[in-house]
Amino acid sequence: MGQTDDSSTRDEFWGQVGQVGARRGPLGDADEAGLWPGGSSGYVHVTTPHSGIAATDGLSAAGADGSSLGLEVYIEGRELVDGAEGEGRWLVTALEEAAGALAAAGPDAVTAALADHDLISLEISAGDAPADWVADGRLGLLLGVELPGRPQTIGSVRALSISPLRPSELAVVVAEGAAGRRRLAEALAAQGWYSYADSTRQPVL
């Protein structure tokens, strides 16, 4: 899978989207930093005129054996404009746990999943998520919903959005698999949400 451990490439990508802020470490320990290919984890905050973005910074780095996950992931919404510690903290902690899950899965599993599916779903712990987004202590995530005009690659690696799921939406994914993920992505797009995350968003399915 393609790889990049060049922060300037990521800065160039995000600089075309908005204003790139300071890099930081994780808020908690859910991201399994030691499992990241480069052995440590990092994140960057980006501000656009209408939203804030929290993105992994180096998840695609090459490991000691030269292998790479081949992707960076990000989450975007108005609640992230003021950074990681504000009302969007739940989105940041969801991003960090998703990054940890991907790192733990390893390059082979991630590469296979991306080759087989345009959209990937995960279930993570509830973390800081609002209670009405949680089912049985779990939060569902959909990775890869496209925002029109937003590039899907950073250099040679994938840039995947993360969209939190309402319990009813997660139930559709669990019941229908790939078809459910596609149907959900289409419904998000039809209602104008695309990949934007927002605690006030109502279920689209």
Side-chain angles (χ1 to χ4, degrees), residues 1-204:
M1 195 81 178
Q3 64 193 48
T4 177
D5 53 11
D6 183 358
S7 62
S8 64
T9 301
R10 294 188 292 274
D11 280 351
E12 181 180 355
F13 174 86
W14 289 120
Q16 295 173 355
V17 174
Q19 182 176 350
V20 180
R23 290 178 171 79
R24 63 166 181 83
L27 293 181
D29 57 6
D31 75 342
E32 300 285 352
L35 295 179
W36 281 42
S40 63
S41 59
Y43 298 86
V44 65
H45 182 247
V46 182
T47 305
T48 82
H50 307 293
S51 68
I53 297 169
T56 57
D57 189 47
L59 190 63
S60 61
D65 62 356
S67 64
S68 167
L69 294 175
L71 83 167
E72 301 284 347
V73 290
Y74 67 93
I75 195 161
E76 178 172 8
R78 62 169 182 83
E79 292 165 309
L80 288 167
V81 169
D82 294 328
E85 296 284 4
E87 62 179 337
R89 180 186 175 94
W90 75 282
L91 301 174
V92 176
T93 55
L95 169 74
E96 292 180 1
E97 187 166 346
L102 293 166
D108 290 345
V110 172
T111 298
L114 291 175
D116 291 342
H117 306 287
D118 291 331
L119 297 161
I120 302 172
S121 54
L122 295 175
E123 290 185 50
I124 61 172
S125 64
D128 299 314
D132 56 341
W133 285 80
V134 176
D136 299 323
R138 308 290 288 173
L139 174 67
L141 303 175
L142 186 64
L143 281 65
V145 178
E146 294 187 10
L147 180 65
R150 176 70 54 77
Q152 303 300 305
T153 58
I154 302 175
S156 59
V157 307
R158 297 279 294 276
L160 296 184
S161 66
I162 291 180
S163 303
L165 301 180
R166 290 283 190 175
S168 62
E169 297 165 343
L170 176 59
V172 169
V173 170
V174 171
E176 300 179 17
R181 291 192 291 271
R182 175 52 54 193
R183 192 157 68 89
L184 180 55
E186 291 172 351
L188 286 167
Q191 295 193 24
W193 285 105
Y194 297 97
S195 57
Y196 289 114
D198 193 300
S199 61
T200 67
R201 181 180 71 75
Q202 295 303 303
V204 296

